[in-house]
Amino acid sequence: MTTSVVSIVYVNDAPAAARFYGDLLGMSPSFETSGYITFDLGPGADLGLWSGQFEDLSPDVPRTSEICLAIDGGPDELNAIFEQWNAKGVKMLREPHDAGFGLTFLAADPDGNRIRVAPKG
């Protein structure tokens, strides 16, 4: 059996969210409808952006989950990503810090969903 893990993120506007994530990830969607868009993140992993499931998602509502982008590079690469995203105006929730598993930072998409960048491994 072939399996794939799809992490679904609820958003207010799937096309707008896809532009945001496409810019951050440097990639184009692999599948698009007006309310559901996915990005192929590699073998067995996809990111799905789904709108229309909730009305008026608010960035102010506390989130209990995160999307984690695990990078191969070390602290210099992580800091460079932080600076790039910061320059793009991405909302930063926590600057780079050591979290016990390595250097990490936490950002948010326009709908308030958390995005962590951390070392792979």
Side-chain angles (χ1 to χ4, degrees):
M1 171 170 72
T2 301
T3 60
S4 181
V5 174
V6 180
S7 296
I8 296 175
V9 176
Y10 298 116
V11 297
N12 283 307
D13 181 338
R19 288 189 296 276
F20 174 83
Y21 280 95
D23 182 49
L24 289 188
L25 300 173
M27 60 177 51
S28 298
S30 56
F31 176 82
E32 295 182 66
T33 68
S34 61
Y36 183 73
I37 299 172
T38 62
F39 289 87
D40 179 354
L41 302 177
D46 293 285
L47 172 64
L49 307 171
W50 197 1
S51 60
Q53 300 308 299
F54 299 97
E55 290 185 23
D56 300 320
L57 291 170
S58 171
D60 299 327
V61 174
R63 299 302 202 270
T64 58
S65 64
E66 303 172 347
I67 298 165
C68 183
L69 302 176
I71 61 168
D72 287 323
D76 289 341
E77 181 178 347
L78 186 131
N79 283 318
I81 293 169
F82 175 81
E83 292 301 329
Q84 290 167 0
W85 288 15
N86 207 26
K88 292 178 186 223
V90 174
K91 181 177 181 179
M92 295 298 169
L93 301 176
R94 186 142 186 221
E95 294 189 357
H97 63 282
D98 188 349
F101 52 80
L103 192 66
T104 184
F105 71 86
L106 189 62
D109 73 11
D111 292 299
N113 298 301
R114 293 171 170 242
I115 307 166
R116 178 173 301 282
V117 177
K120 185 183 272 186

